[in-house]
């Protein structure tokens, strides 16, 4: 049994992670703003993580074996957490994102199209941190989501005081109504109603992960010994046409497409640039991934079940 603190953990795969940590016998503490209470038996602090004084006071003399940070989006938040948990935890795991590799958001080393992107392409130890940017502004943060995650990783790597690992998650799907991004629902809704899916002329593949598999990987990461970033994605990249074909088959409809050139806005998961990740490092460390095409039909079925029936 370990003492594990989860920051966030109130919804989707974070909520599932808390349940699985508890089921496997760990002593769990959850820190969030109180939107959803954790399961019975889980210690819960309702705190705004941006309030360093309140966070430090609530932690008091508590120590943890591992902290799993589900909701760190900026270097400012990372710096607050690094100070608050210095000397209070042996290991710190941050949930990051595939978006750190998006070449549209930063000048990154070129990777040939079709070559899965490895972790060293974005090295947090070498990444520039700018604490004075308007990270507190919601609009700025939304527009700079990928950069916020890159800089947050960089802050933790340099902080010292604990082992640090980041889990760079692929696009997360599954869970039906739980799936708060709404991206799969976008597709099931439009295809069920015969609406057009906007795609790029040359849409490139990306990678996905089921929300339960991501919870499993984060559970594994709490007891693993690796440090630094790992990519988390199921086997088998798909492009938007592959995704739509699976959804259309489940919905019993023929897909309708509208094509736009590179650089123009398209439907979610239609990408005109390459940044599909490699999961080779996680596999080498001992985690086994499923294939996207094994779980995606079930995730689509869940989404269709929660989708209102199309009108006649």
């Amino acid at each position: 049994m370990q003492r594990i603190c989860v920051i966030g953990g109130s919804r989707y795969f974070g909520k599932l992670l808390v349940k699985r940590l508890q089921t496997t016998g760990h002593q769990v503490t959850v820190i969030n703003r109180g939107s959803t209470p954790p399961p019975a038996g889980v210690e819960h602090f309702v705190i705004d993580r941006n309030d360093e004084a309140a966070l430090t006071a609530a932690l008091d003399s508590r120590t943890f074996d591992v902290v799993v940070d589900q909701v760190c989006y900026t270097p400012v938040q990372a710096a607050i957490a690094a100070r608050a948990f210095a000397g209070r935890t042996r290991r710190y795991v941050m949930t990051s994102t595939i978006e750190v590799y998006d070449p549209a958001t930063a000048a990154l080393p070129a990777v040939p199209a079709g070559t899965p992107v490895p972790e060293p392409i974005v090295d947090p130890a070498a990444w520039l941190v700018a604490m004075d940017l308007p990270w507190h502004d919601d609009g700025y943060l939304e527009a700079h989501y990928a950069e916020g995650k890159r800089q947050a990783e960089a802050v933790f790597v340099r902080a010292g005081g604990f082992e640090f690992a980041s889990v760079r998650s692929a696009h997360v799907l599954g869970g039906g109504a739980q799936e708060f991004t709404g991206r799969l629902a976008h597709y099931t809704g439009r295809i069920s109603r015969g609406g057009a899916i906007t795609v790029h002329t040359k849409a490139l593949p990306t990678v996905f992960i089921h929300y339960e598999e991501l919870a499993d990987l984060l559970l594994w990461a709490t007891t693993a010994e690796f440090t630094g970033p790992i990519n988390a994605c199921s086997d088998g990249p798909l492009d938007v046409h592959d995704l739509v074909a699976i959804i259309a088959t489940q919905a019993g409809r023929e897909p309708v497409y509208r094509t736009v050139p590179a650089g123009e806005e398209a439907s979610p998961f239609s990408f005109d640039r390459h940044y599909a990740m490699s999961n080779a490092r996680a596999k080498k460390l001992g985690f086994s991934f499923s294939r996207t095409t094994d779980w995606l039909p079930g995730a689509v079925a869940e989404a269709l079940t929660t989708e209102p029936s199309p009108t006649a």
Side-chain angles (χ1 to χ4, degrees), residues 133-177:
L133 295 173
W135 296 114
H136 61 282
D137 181 85
D138 290 342
Y140 182 87
L141 181 55
E142 183 177 0
H144 296 83
Y145 171 72
E147 182 61 16
K149 286 288 191 179
R150 285 187 287 257
Q151 291 195 26
E153 288 190 39
V155 168
F156 281 124
V157 164
R158 296 167 193 170
F162 43 67
E163 299 173 359
F164 174 70
S166 57
V167 174
R168 294 172 176 171
S169 170
H171 306 291
V172 188
L173 298 178

Side-chain angles (χ1 to χ4, degrees), residues 4 9 13 16 57 59 90 107 146 152 175 181 184 186 189-191 194 218 224 234 240 263 270:
I4 299 179
F13 60 85
L16 182 58
L59 291 173
R90 172 187 61 81
T181 65
L184 190 54
H186 166 86
R190 291 194 69 79
I191 291 169
L218 288 165
S234 301
V240 65
S270 180

